[in-house]
Amino acid sequence: MRPSGRNLSEMRAITIETGVMRHAEGSCLIRVGDTQVLCSASIEEKAPPFLRGTGKGWVTAEYGMLPRATNTRNRREAATGKQGGRTVEIQRLIGRSLRAGVDLRALGERQIVVDCDVIQADGGTRCASITGGWVALRLAMNRLVEAGMVSSDPMLDHVAAVSCGIYAGQPVVDLDYAEDSEAGTDGNFVMTGTGRLIEVQMSAEGATFSRDEMGALLDLADAGVGELVAAQKAAL
Amino acid sequence: MRPSGRNLSEMRAITIETGVMRHAEGSCLIRVGDTQVLCSASIEEKAPPFLRGTGKGWVTAEYGMLPRATNTRNRREAATGKQGGRTVEIQRLIGRSLRAGVDLRALGERQIVVDCDVIQADGGTRCASITGGWVALRLAMNRLVEAGMVSSDPMLDHVAAVSCGIYAGQPVVDLDYAEDSEAGTDGNFVMTGTGRLIEVQMSAEGATFSRDEMGALLDLADAGVGELVAAQKAAL
Amino acid sequence: MRPSGRNLSEMRAITIETGVMRHAEGSCLIRVGDTQVLCSASIEEKAPPFLRGTGKGWVTAEYGMLPRATNTRNRREAATGKQGGRTVEIQRLIGRSLRAGVDLRALGERQIVVDCDVIQADGGTRCASITGGWVALRLAMNRLVEAGMVSSDPMLDHVAAVSCGIYAGQPVVDLDYAEDSEAGTDGNFVMTGTGRLIEVQMSAEGATFSRDEMGALLDLADAGVGELVAAQKAAL
Amino acid sequence: MRPSGRNLSEMRAITIETGVMRHAEGSCLIRVGDTQVLCSASIEEKAPPFLRGTGKGWVTAEYGMLPRATNTRNRREAATGKQGGRTVEIQRLIGRSLRAGVDLRALGERQIVVDCDVIQADGGTRCASITGGWVALRLAMNRLVEAGMVSSDPMLDHVAAVSCGIYAGQPVVDLDYAEDSEAGTDGNFVMTGTGRLIEVQMSAEGATFSRDEMGALLDLADAGVGELVAAQKAAL
Amino acid sequence: MRPSGRNLSEMRAITIETGVMRHAEGSCLIRVGDTQVLCSASIEEKAPPFLRGTGKGWVTAEYGMLPRATNTRNRREAATGKQGGRTVEIQRLIGRSLRAGVDLRALGERQIVVDCDVIQADGGTRCASITGGWVALRLAMNRLVEAGMVSSDPMLDHVAAVSCGIYAGQPVVDLDYAEDSEAGTDGNFVMTGTGRLIEVQMSAEGATFSRDEMGALLDLADAGVGELVAAQKAAL
Amino acid sequence: MRPSGRNLSEMRAITIETGVMRHAEGSCLIRVGDTQVLCSASIEEKAPPFLRGTGKGWVTAEYGMLPRATNTRNRREAATGKQGGRTVEIQRLIGRSLRAGVDLRALGERQIVVDCDVIQADGGTRCASITGGWVALRLAMNRLVEAGMVSSDPMLDHVAAVSCGIYAGQPVVDLDYAEDSEAGTDGNFVMTGTGRLIEVQMSAEGATFSRDEMGALLDLADAGVGELVAAQKAAL
């Protein structure tokens, strides 16, 4: 029933290649099916102004998409003069999600910027960005730990994300573009390695949904995130 | 335990005053505790370009906040030269939520713009905007129905929204600012008059949450939206 | 002869309701006929950079209009990415006018920002903003005086403003929108409580005017501002 | 008493050199003392959108200042990314003033853009822009008349402007920068060749002013504009 | 003498991998040493407005750099709100260079947009963009030719570019970042496959240069471009 | 053969009038044929942030064009909200060129801003800006030298620029607009008073060019810059 022939609870193939950007403190290229996101983590030895003097650090994220990552070319945001509403929403989500897995006090007064740039898009780019962004962040943190710049590891747990939705009346996991553009309801679940929830964002895109459907989607997400966390562990 | 002395499942006082803006096709002032939002609906006899020739209409929303709606003055977005990320997220949410309650084909090729301007803020401004914005939209639709400009009523159902969160370890409904700024987890539930879900947005702001807590929040939201829908009916 | 049936020298009904915004140091809602402006004054314990170290303070103003304050919806300035020329002109006028009634040295190195947001427009919004903005400013100053933060009252005199114009060949006071859009000449007079002039701005909008007409308009303005000052006193 | 040694009612030297820009339909360099403004008028055979199909034309103006026209260098507005509030106010004033001297219906559906660029500033740049801008406009109109593109001359009368103010307690005309920066009250008077008023803009910059002072300033302006109109006639 | 140990006339290793972006009509990843640029060509069946009705098409280019392509993170241009001067210069150069190798009349009224995004930077990114961009363009043109959408092949010749400079007093080819940041003079040569010049851009960055040095650089460029053209041929 | 009747190697008439802007530390009006550029140099006793504490100064340039400097009116960049790509390229070129003639260490931690504003355009405005900008810079430097604010003269040599191109198949110098818009290849050569090269920028605008043609253009440029340097000397 799914355009790709997958089962309702079947994820796409996941690969995470680390160390792909020579200059970054941490980096990876994550592929989830045909979706490809290049993630880097950059350590800056200066916390943002609102944290000066608090002893706490910060993790933030920026998201971008190459103009031809998509089926038809999108205008380059640098050329339009601003980041669109969708971009702003996504990068705020990535930042919040990653911070939920970090002890900002243990990080100390510095900032890590995670850049997620979509090279190729086929649905689920924000979830791939969170999952891959976490790997880049973990690698950058390793440098801080190894260099003795932090007294304890600031990473609390894995963070990964998967999309779920109601497609053709059925709850499915890890929607590709063909499904995403047709789904009556879809959204994203961000979870920790131990299965706790960080973000739940479900939207009716054409059909409202019931409490029971919400439960089915939570079940799918829980299993899907488990696979993503396993892929993160394998990559490190 | 709550700063306001409310029970865990107790909503703040809700009042909806209609017809407060002389020029608008529909308008109301919604008060949820000390939060006050002025909502107007403006009918434009032209659909946005992407709908030209489709026979379908559109409902969109814009959100703003007076600089001194808050405890300390915020910079005016018109003066900073752009709408912030939070504003963009909120108005996209309001627009999506209201569209879920409208048959856009029955509306015909026209657009209704719902403006939600926060006069005073004490938590829950986006939920109050959705709940009050729906009333303004309903009033504007009444004009179209009465004038025979639509052949059937484009409104499918009530739409209302409430915030829920985990405050001091307990699930609570309709957070005020004091709670919102301290909650470990909070979010918003947008639902129809018949109890179906339109949007679920939960974020861990300092503590992740469990599947059981998610369930408790859904229960609170369900009851809270029921009260809001009753207030909408009373106002009309 | 006037669309509203008023006499040439007859003002519209004036009401000023104070304390309408919980968070602001001073606030009021001024109604001049159907024109409604929400005014707030916010004290900031930091003077603008060009006054650092001078011992002097500053009073500035910002002006906005809700998109549907007018008969047809205006684009939200925050969404267009800048304040239009008309807005900039008006807020500069409000700021200059209010500063003419304040001893900036007695204020000390702090700034008061007066926000004037038009909730409903029917002509004369800049004059109502000045008249109401002065009340908000007076209330905020009272706080400084009462708290002993200033050694003498920085307020020198009342400041109020009224529009005048040549409508259908006759000089009239306090033009509403119907008159304003048809007047051959119109403008604004800002005056003190003792009848001295602060600003005179007269523009030919279709017909030039004579020295004698200028004199008649000054007479009307003088009487009109007297009524506005009386309303300010009544409100405080 | 005046820094320049002039009498209270004495204007600075005025010269208007026409035809200084090879490409423009009309142009002049106006010098009022040390203030120098390059004015050009450009005919565009297309009226602005709001006039399409009305048979009426438009005259508009833009104002700029070279970065080093002033004593200390100002930032270039093209580099800051927007025209400042002062620039916007001035160019709106120039446009309104020039339109008061033109029969827009006789002009037909075309637009004339008057550019006023300050080469050197020593007070009174907006008045010099109006006076010089009118000459550029007149020259461009001559081309339309000579080419038979208009059936009657669209120019109704001369338009010229002069600044006046209260300097050291005395009413003076045509303030230079030294006076302008010290004046308690100053402003601008735009008048026709026959002595009728187009714009009056007086602002208290430190001291309010009386009705009698307003009268004295109007007298000075009337005489000053007479001299400017004579200079316009001499230049043509 | 060169930091990399290369001879004065020795290019870095060049690899061009085609077909790397699924959605683009033409694409490649070009690597010149550690510099990596992802190039795509997108066909749009609409010429830019200035060519409507002329029967001619257009080729344009956009250039970007991932924030962490460099040694320290650069701010994302989409977030700063505009493309910097360097970016604008580079993308104008790429566009002009590629157009020199295309018969725009044979292309017909359509546009091809070549996007060059630097994944990793180590000097020479604009030259790699031109060389790789040409391959992407060639691949997209092949589609037009194969589909019979053009009656003759619009490609006139190969276009490739190499940097040259005076490093430590010696003329060198294909500068890497270590050389580029120290060179007294450097610049770029864009040439055709038959050795004709398209662009020459040499700048003294600290030391002026002589006519003889200019000649030596032209020699180096000629040989270097020859190698690049061979790599283009090998890739296709 | 040239539209102006000039010989292939014949420059247009050059005049440089100094001291034309009262407020600037150095200024001139340069005329090259019908091209006229007003140049000023402003000394700022503060180096840009990236040079703080280095003991070195900076020279930068800004370029502008009056809207009606050209045959048809161009939009004012201040009104469009940004400097176009062409403007940015030109002002970067002027700044780099002038810095090549200055010992920034001898200048000390201050900045000189050279503004080049085109009053009338007939081709070659960037070259005239460099040639005239150098004169303004020299005059401003004289002030520093005379005031003993620098211990040695920071000026190393003259800097001047000329355009060259292939017009109707022949190499020509100092192209006017009629030639510039038709030339198959054109570009700019910036050189010192002793004939060394600072910048070479040649672009094929329709026809590629050979190594021999490049040589012929270098010869023309060498002679042309000689004449410009003579005019600079005559003006000082």
Side-chain angles (χ1 to χ4, degrees):
Chain A
M1 176 215 75
R2 301 180 71 174
S4 60
R6 283 186 280 152
N7 294 330
L8 300 183
S9 61
E10 187 179 344
M11 301 281 289
R12 291 178 285 179
I14 307 158
T15 68
I16 302 175
E17 187 183 348
T18 62
V20 295
M21 295 183 79
R22 196 182 75 164
H23 301 295
E25 281 76 35
S27 69
C28 74
L29 173 63
I30 183 167
R31 290 187 186 84
V32 180
D34 273 339
T35 290
Q36 301 180 12
V37 186
L38 204 44
C39 305
S40 66
S42 299
I43 301 173
E44 299 178 349
E45 286 300 321
K46 215 165 87 171
F50 64 90
L51 288 177
R52 299 263 163 80
T54 63
K56 291 171 67 176
W58 196 243
V59 173
T60 190
E62 287 188 7
Y63 172 91
M65 196 182 264
L66 296 196
R68 199 56 197 280
T70 45
N71 194 38
T72 55
R73 187 177 182 273
N74 285 300
R75 282 198 67 191
R76 189 178 288 269
E77 288 189 326
T80 62
K82 64 170 187 171
Q83 295 181 302
R86 180 183 169 277
T87 295
V88 171
E89 263 188 42
I90 292 176
Q91 65 192 16
R92 283 161 58 98
L93 170 65
I94 302 170
R96 277 200 314 273
S97 298
L98 294 178
R99 282 193 296 277
V102 174
D103 177 347
L104 297 172
R105 193 162 295 282
L107 176 56
E109 276 198 34
R110 54 174 63 86
Q111 174 167 261
I112 303 185
V113 183
V114 176
D115 285 290
C116 301
D117 285 272
V118 179
I119 300 300
Q120 193 166 276
D122 186 32
T125 64
R126 79 189 72 189
C127 290
S129 295
I130 292 168
T131 306
W134 184 87
V135 172
L137 180 63
R138 170 73 274 179
L139 291 167
M141 287 289 189
N142 286 350
R143 294 235 192 153
L144 291 176
V145 172
E146 284 154 20
M149 295 176 76
V150 289
S151 52
S152 65
D153 182 1
M155 299 295 277
L156 300 169
D157 199 350
H158 282 250
V159 174
V162 74
S163 69
C164 295
I166 312 286
Y167 174 77
Q170 301 276 10
V172 296
V173 73
D174 190 24
L175 288 74
D176 55 29
Y177 180 74
E179 292 168 326
D180 189 51
S181 54
E182 296 293 326
T185 290
D186 66 26
N188 305 288
F189 294 82
V190 188
M191 298 178 72
T192 67
T194 52
R196 290 184 61 85
L197 292 155
I198 293 173
E199 287 265 344
V200 175
Q201 293 193 333
M202 291 302 305
S203 292
E205 299 278 339
T208 56
F209 54 105
S210 69
R211 182 79 179 261
D212 283 352
E213 287 171 321
M214 183 77 198
L217 296 169
L218 279 159
D219 288 340
L220 285 171
D222 193 52
V225 167
E227 290 189 43
L228 292 163
V229 169
Q232 287 176 332
K233 287 180 177 161
L236 290 166
Chain B
M1 177 215 76
R2 301 179 71 174
S4 61
R6 282 186 281 152
N7 294 332
L8 300 183
S9 61
E10 187 180 344
M11 301 280 289
R12 291 178 285 179
I14 307 157
T15 68
I16 302 175
E17 187 183 347
T18 61
V20 296
M21 295 184 79
R22 198 182 72 164
H23 301 295
E25 281 75 36
S27 69
C28 73
L29 173 63
I30 182 168
R31 289 187 185 86
V32 179
D34 274 339
T35 290
Q36 301 180 11
V37 185
L38 204 45
C39 306
S40 66
S42 299
I43 301 173
E44 299 179 348
E45 287 299 320
K46 215 166 88 169
F50 64 90
L51 288 177
R52 298 264 163 81
T54 63
K56 291 171 67 177
W58 197 244
V59 173
T60 189
E62 287 189 7
Y63 171 91
M65 196 183 263
L66 296 197
R68 199 54 197 280
T70 46
N71 194 37
T72 54
R73 186 177 183 274
N74 286 300
R75 282 198 67 192
R76 188 178 289 268
E77 287 188 326
T80 61
K82 65 171 187 170
Q83 295 181 303
R86 181 184 168 276
T87 294
V88 171
E89 263 187 42
I90 292 176
Q91 65 193 15
R92 284 161 58 96
L93 170 63
I94 301 170
R96 278 200 313 273
S97 297
L98 295 178
R99 282 194 296 277
V102 175
D103 178 347
L104 296 172
R105 193 161 296 280
L107 176 56
E109 276 198 36
R110 55 175 64 86
Q111 174 167 261
I112 304 186
V113 183
V114 176
D115 286 290
C116 301
D117 285 273
V118 179
I119 300 299
Q120 193 166 277
D122 186 32
T125 63
R126 78 189 72 188
C127 291
S129 296
I130 291 168
T131 307
W134 184 87
V135 172
L137 181 62
R138 170 72 276 180
L139 290 167
M141 287 290 189
N142 286 349
R143 294 235 192 155
L144 291 176
V145 172
E146 284 155 20
M149 297 176 72
V150 290
S151 51
S152 64
D153 182 2
M155 299 296 278
L156 300 169
D157 198 351
H158 282 252
V159 174
V162 74
S163 69
C164 294
I166 312 286
Y167 175 77
Q170 301 276 8
V172 297
V173 73
D174 189 24
L175 288 76
D176 56 29
Y177 180 75
E179 291 168 328
D180 188 52
S181 54
E182 296 293 326
T185 291
D186 66 28
N188 305 288
F189 295 81
V190 187
M191 298 178 72
T192 66
T194 52
R196 289 182 64 85
L197 292 156
I198 293 172
E199 286 265 343
V200 175
Q201 292 194 333
M202 290 302 305
S203 291
E205 299 278 339
T208 55
F209 54 105
S210 69
R211 181 81 181 261
D212 284 353
E213 286 171 324
M214 184 75 199
L217 295 169
L218 279 160
D219 289 339
L220 285 172
D222 194 52
V225 167
E227 290 190 41
L228 291 163
V229 169
Q232 287 175 333
K233 288 179 177 162
L236 290 166
Chain C
M1 176 215 75
R2 302 179 71 175
S4 60
R6 284 187 279 152
N7 295 330
L8 300 183
S9 62
E10 187 179 343
M11 302 281 289
R12 291 178 285 179
I14 308 157
T15 68
I16 302 176
E17 187 182 348
T18 61
V20 296
M21 295 184 80
R22 196 181 76 165
H23 300 297
E25 282 75 35
S27 69
C28 74
L29 173 63
I30 183 168
R31 289 187 186 85
V32 180
D34 272 340
T35 290
Q36 301 180 12
V37 186
L38 204 45
C39 305
S40 67
S42 299
I43 301 172
E44 299 180 350
E45 288 298 321
K46 217 167 85 170
F50 64 90
L51 289 177
R52 298 264 163 80
T54 63
K56 291 171 67 177
W58 196 244
V59 173
T60 190
E62 286 189 7
Y63 172 92
M65 195 182 265
L66 297 196
R68 198 55 198 279
T70 44
N71 194 37
T72 54
R73 187 177 182 272
N74 285 300
R75 282 198 66 192
R76 188 178 290 267
E77 288 188 326
T80 62
K82 65 170 184 170
Q83 296 181 303
R86 180 183 169 277
T87 295
V88 171
E89 263 187 42
I90 292 176
Q91 64 192 16
R92 282 162 59 97
L93 170 65
I94 301 171
R96 278 200 314 274
S97 298
L98 294 178
R99 282 193 297 278
V102 174
D103 177 347
L104 296 172
R105 193 161 296 281
L107 176 56
E109 276 197 35
R110 54 174 63 84
Q111 174 167 262
I112 304 186
V113 183
V114 176
D115 285 290
C116 300
D117 286 273
V118 179
I119 300 300
Q120 193 165 277
D122 186 32
T125 64
R126 78 189 73 189
C127 291
S129 295
I130 291 168
T131 306
W134 184 87
V135 171
L137 181 62
R138 171 71 276 180
L139 290 167
M141 287 290 189
N142 287 349
R143 294 236 191 154
L144 291 176
V145 172
E146 284 156 19
M149 295 176 75
V150 289
S151 52
S152 65
D153 183 0
M155 299 296 277
L156 300 169
D157 199 351
H158 282 251
V159 174
V162 74
S163 69
C164 295
I166 313 286
Y167 174 77
Q170 301 275 10
V172 296
V173 74
D174 189 24
L175 289 74
D176 55 30
Y177 179 74
E179 292 168 327
D180 190 51
S181 54
E182 295 293 326
T185 290
D186 66 26
N188 305 288
F189 295 83
V190 187
M191 299 176 73
T192 67
T194 51
R196 289 183 65 84
L197 292 155
I198 293 173
E199 288 264 344
V200 175
Q201 292 194 334
M202 290 303 305
S203 293
E205 299 277 341
T208 56
F209 54 105
S210 70
R211 182 79 179 262
D212 284 351
E213 286 171 323
M214 184 76 197
L217 296 170
L218 279 159
D219 288 340
L220 285 172
D222 194 52
V225 166
E227 289 189 42
L228 291 163
V229 169
Q232 287 176 332
K233 287 179 178 163
L236 289 166
Chain D
M1 177 214 77
R2 300 179 73 173
S4 59
R6 283 187 279 152
N7 294 332
L8 299 183
S9 60
E10 187 179 345
M11 302 280 289
R12 291 178 286 179
I14 308 157
T15 67
I16 302 175
E17 187 183 348
T18 61
V20 296
M21 296 183 79
R22 196 181 74 165
H23 300 296
E25 281 76 36
S27 69
C28 73
L29 173 63
I30 182 167
R31 289 188 186 84
V32 180
D34 273 340
T35 290
Q36 301 180 11
V37 185
L38 205 45
C39 305
S40 66
S42 300
I43 301 173
E44 300 179 348
E45 287 298 320
K46 213 166 88 169
F50 64 90
L51 288 177
R52 298 265 163 79
T54 63
K56 291 172 66 177
W58 196 243
V59 173
T60 190
E62 286 190 7
Y63 171 91
M65 195 182 264
L66 296 197
R68 199 54 196 282
T70 46
N71 194 37
T72 54
R73 185 177 184 275
N74 285 300
R75 283 197 67 191
R76 189 178 288 269
E77 288 188 325
T80 61
K82 65 170 186 171
Q83 296 181 303
R86 180 183 168 277
T87 294
V88 171
E89 263 187 42
I90 292 176
Q91 65 193 16
R92 284 161 59 97
L93 170 64
I94 301 170
R96 277 200 313 273
S97 298
L98 294 178
R99 281 193 297 277
V102 175
D103 177 348
L104 297 172
R105 193 161 295 281
L107 176 57
E109 277 199 35
R110 55 174 63 84
Q111 174 167 261
I112 304 185
V113 182
V114 176
D115 285 289
C116 301
D117 285 90
V118 180
I119 300 299
Q120 192 166 278
D122 187 33
T125 63
R126 77 189 72 188
C127 291
S129 295
I130 291 168
T131 306
W134 184 86
V135 172
L137 181 62
R138 170 72 276 179
L139 291 167
M141 286 291 189
N142 287 349
R143 296 235 192 153
L144 292 176
V145 172
E146 284 155 20
M149 297 176 74
V150 289
S151 51
S152 65
D153 183 0
M155 299 296 276
L156 300 169
D157 198 351
H158 282 250
V159 174
V162 73
S163 69
C164 295
I166 313 285
Y167 174 77
Q170 301 275 11
V172 296
V173 74
D174 189 23
L175 288 76
D176 56 29
Y177 180 74
E179 292 167 328
D180 188 52
S181 54
E182 295 293 325
T185 290
D186 66 28
N188 305 289
F189 294 82
V190 188
M191 299 177 72
T192 66
T194 52
R196 290 184 62 85
L197 292 156
I198 293 172
E199 286 265 342
V200 176
Q201 292 194 333
M202 291 301 306
S203 292
E205 299 277 341
T208 55
F209 54 106
S210 69
R211 180 81 180 261
D212 284 352
E213 287 171 322
M214 185 76 199
L217 295 170
L218 279 160
D219 289 339
L220 286 172
D222 194 51
V225 167
E227 291 189 41
L228 292 163
V229 169
Q232 288 176 332
K233 287 179 178 160
L236 290 166
Chain E
M1 178 215 77
R2 300 180 71 173
S4 60
R6 284 187 280 152
N7 295 330
L8 299 183
S9 61
E10 187 178 345
M11 301 280 289
R12 292 178 285 179
I14 307 158
T15 68
I16 302 175
E17 186 183 347
T18 61
V20 296
M21 295 184 79
R22 196 181 75 164
H23 301 296
E25 281 76 34
S27 68
C28 73
L29 173 64
I30 182 167
R31 290 188 186 85
V32 180
D34 273 340
T35 290
Q36 301 180 13
V37 186
L38 204 45
C39 306
S40 66
S42 299
I43 301 173
E44 299 179 349
E45 288 298 321
K46 214 167 87 170
F50 65 90
L51 288 177
R52 297 266 163 79
T54 63
K56 291 171 66 177
W58 197 244
V59 172
T60 190
E62 286 189 6
Y63 172 90
M65 195 182 264
L66 296 196
R68 199 55 197 281
T70 46
N71 195 36
T72 55
R73 186 178 183 274
N74 287 300
R75 283 198 67 191
R76 188 178 288 269
E77 288 188 326
T80 62
K82 64 171 185 171
Q83 294 181 303
R86 180 183 168 277
T87 295
V88 171
E89 264 186 43
I90 292 176
Q91 65 193 16
R92 283 161 58 97
L93 170 64
I94 301 170
R96 276 200 314 273
S97 299
L98 294 178
R99 281 193 297 276
V102 174
D103 177 348
L104 296 172
R105 193 162 295 281
L107 176 56
E109 276 198 35
R110 53 175 64 85
Q111 174 167 261
I112 304 186
V113 183
V114 176
D115 286 288
C116 301
D117 286 273
V118 179
I119 300 299
Q120 193 165 277
D122 187 32
T125 63
R126 78 189 72 189
C127 291
S129 296
I130 291 167
T131 306
W134 184 88
V135 172
L137 181 62
R138 170 72 277 179
L139 291 167
M141 286 290 189
N142 286 349
R143 296 235 192 154
L144 291 176
V145 172
E146 285 155 19
M149 296 175 74
V150 290
S151 52
S152 64
D153 182 1
M155 299 296 277
L156 300 169
D157 198 351
H158 282 251
V159 174
V162 74
S163 69
C164 295
I166 313 286
Y167 174 77
Q170 301 275 9
V172 297
V173 73
D174 189 23
L175 289 76
D176 56 29
Y177 179 75
E179 292 168 326
D180 188 52
S181 54
E182 295 293 324
T185 291
D186 66 27
N188 305 289
F189 295 82
V190 187
M191 298 177 72
T192 67
T194 53
R196 290 184 63 84
L197 293 156
I198 293 172
E199 288 265 342
V200 175
Q201 293 193 333
M202 290 302 305
S203 292
E205 299 277 340
T208 55
F209 54 106
S210 69
R211 181 80 180 262
D212 284 352
E213 286 170 323
M214 185 76 199
L217 296 169
L218 279 159
D219 290 340
L220 285 171
D222 194 51
V225 167
E227 291 189 41
L228 291 163
V229 169
Q232 288 176 333
K233 287 179 177 161
L236 289 166
Chain F
M1 175 213 76
R2 301 180 71 175
S4 60
R6 283 187 279 152
N7 295 330
L8 299 183
S9 61
E10 187 179 344
M11 301 280 291
R12 291 178 286 179
I14 307 158
T15 68
I16 302 175
E17 186 183 347
T18 61
V20 296
M21 295 183 79
R22 196 181 74 164
H23 301 296
E25 282 75 36
S27 69
C28 74
L29 173 63
I30 182 167
R31 289 188 186 85
V32 180
D34 273 339
T35 290
Q36 301 179 12
V37 185
L38 204 45
C39 305
S40 66
S42 300
I43 301 173
E44 299 180 349
E45 287 298 320
K46 217 167 84 171
F50 65 89
L51 288 177
R52 298 264 163 79
T54 63
K56 291 172 67 176
W58 196 243
V59 173
T60 190
E62 286 189 7
Y63 171 91
M65 196 182 263
L66 296 197
R68 199 56 197 280
T70 45
N71 193 36
T72 54
R73 186 177 182 273
N74 286 300
R75 281 198 67 193
R76 189 177 288 269
E77 287 189 326
T80 61
K82 65 171 185 172
Q83 296 181 301
R86 180 183 169 277
T87 295
V88 171
E89 262 188 43
I90 292 177
Q91 64 192 14
R92 283 161 59 97
L93 169 64
I94 302 170
R96 277 200 314 273
S97 298
L98 295 178
R99 282 194 295 278
V102 175
D103 177 347
L104 297 172
R105 192 162 297 281
L107 176 56
E109 277 198 33
R110 54 175 63 86
Q111 174 166 262
I112 303 186
V113 183
V114 176
D115 285 290
C116 301
D117 285 273
V118 179
I119 300 299
Q120 194 165 277
D122 186 32
T125 64
R126 78 189 72 188
C127 290
S129 296
I130 291 168
T131 306
W134 184 88
V135 172
L137 180 62
R138 171 71 277 180
L139 291 167
M141 286 289 189
N142 286 350
R143 295 235 192 154
L144 291 176
V145 172
E146 285 154 19
M149 296 175 74
V150 290
S151 52
S152 66
D153 183 1
M155 299 296 277
L156 300 169
D157 198 350
H158 282 252
V159 174
V162 73
S163 69
C164 295
I166 313 285
Y167 174 78
Q170 301 275 9
V172 296
V173 74
D174 189 24
L175 290 75
D176 55 29
Y177 180 73
E179 292 168 326
D180 189 53
S181 54
E182 295 293 325
T185 290
D186 66 27
N188 304 288
F189 294 82
V190 188
M191 298 176 73
T192 67
T194 52
R196 289 183 63 84
L197 292 156
I198 294 173
E199 287 266 342
V200 175
Q201 293 193 332
M202 291 302 305
S203 293
E205 300 277 340
T208 56
F209 54 106
S210 69
R211 181 79 179 263
D212 284 352
E213 287 171 323
M214 184 76 198
L217 296 170
L218 279 159
D219 289 339
L220 285 172
D222 194 51
V225 167
E227 289 188 43
L228 292 163
V229 169
Q232 288 176 333
K233 286 180 178 160
L236 290 167

